[in-house]
Amino acid sequence: DKRIIAVNPAFTRITGYALEDILHQNPRILSSGQQDEMFYQTMWQSIEQHGYWEGELINRRKDGQLLPELLSISKVFDKEGNVMNYVGMFLDISARREAEARIQYLAHHDYLTNLPNRLLLVEHATQGRFSLYVLANTFIPPNNHDFASLRRCSFTRNHAK
């Protein structure tokens, strides 16, 4: 019967749950619903077969915020080799996920204008996210300072006023 019997101060600081809040609760109390039942079945199967599991998952803090974690769960054995408990340790990877999202955004958007850049256009085009009509009517100057070419394009397409 997998129940929480102890937490350390770091757990309380990160999740917002004090021991009194979750003592004897099933660890499912932390679940965000981001992983399906098959994920957890596979995780516990790995723990039973290999004695441990490591991976990323998304739990939920007491205040409802999502908590991306790098989690490790291991079996704890008594002197006779019987499973006595399970120990879980996790690393809050929220800052890393935010940094990854920021890097992705900066890779696909102009730093000054926040407009999508050529890389994003090429990625969307190669993934079929644009119709042929949009691609046929899109003009990208050879460089960001080639406004004369853009103006000529506007005149030839009757977009100039």
Side-chain angles (χ1 to χ4, degrees):
D1 195 31
K2 299 165 184 82
R3 302 287 175 182
I4 297 171
I5 60 171
V7 299
N8 65 17
F11 176 90
T12 299
R13 187 179 72 254
I14 293 169
T15 66
Y17 286 101
L19 178 59
E20 304 81 47
D21 298 328
I22 60 170
L23 185 62
H24 304 296
Q25 296 285 333
N26 188 295
R28 270 189 232 115
I29 192 170
L30 302 168
S31 176
S32 66
Q34 300 286 313
Q35 289 80 217
D36 61 11
E37 189 61 34
M38 180 61 85
F39 173 89
Y40 290 106
Q41 287 175 3
T42 304
M43 180 184 80
W44 282 106
Q45 183 179 16
S46 176
I47 294 167
E48 294 307 319
Q49 286 178 355
H50 307 289
Y52 70 95
W53 178 87
E54 292 179 349
E56 290 187 16
L57 61 81
I58 300 174
N59 274 331
R60 192 173 299 278
R61 291 182 167 97
K62 186 176 180 181
D63 66 6
Q65 284 185 315
L66 294 179
L67 175 60
E69 300 176 1
L70 182 57
L71 175 65
S72 174
I73 300 175
S74 300
K75 287 181 180 180
V76 177
F77 299 96
D78 63 15
K79 291 179 183 176
E80 288 79 40
N82 300 312
V83 176
M84 190 172 69
N85 276 315
Y86 298 87
V87 172
M89 295 180 290
F90 71 91
L91 176 65
D92 178 358
I93 57 173
S94 300
R96 184 171 85 181
R97 288 281 175 94
E98 290 168 8
E100 289 169 354
R102 181 72 179 148
I103 289 167
Q104 280 294 331
Y105 182 84
L106 291 173
H108 294 98
H109 293 81
D110 179 76
Y111 180 75
L112 295 175
T113 65
N114 287 324
L115 294 172
N117 64 18
R118 290 183 198 176
L119 180 60
L120 184 62
L121 174 67
V122 169
E123 285 182 9
H124 284 300
T126 59
Q127 294 172 5
R129 293 187 184 171
F130 286 116
S131 68
L132 288 176
Y133 174 79
V134 171
L135 283 176
N137 288 297
T138 302
F139 175 79
I140 302 174
N143 62 52
N144 290 337
H145 305 292
D146 195 358
F147 296 112
S149 296
L150 182 59
R151 185 172 170 82
R152 282 193 303 277
C153 181
S154 294
F155 277 115
T156 59
R157 294 193 180 272
N158 295 325
H159 295 296
K161 293 186 179 185

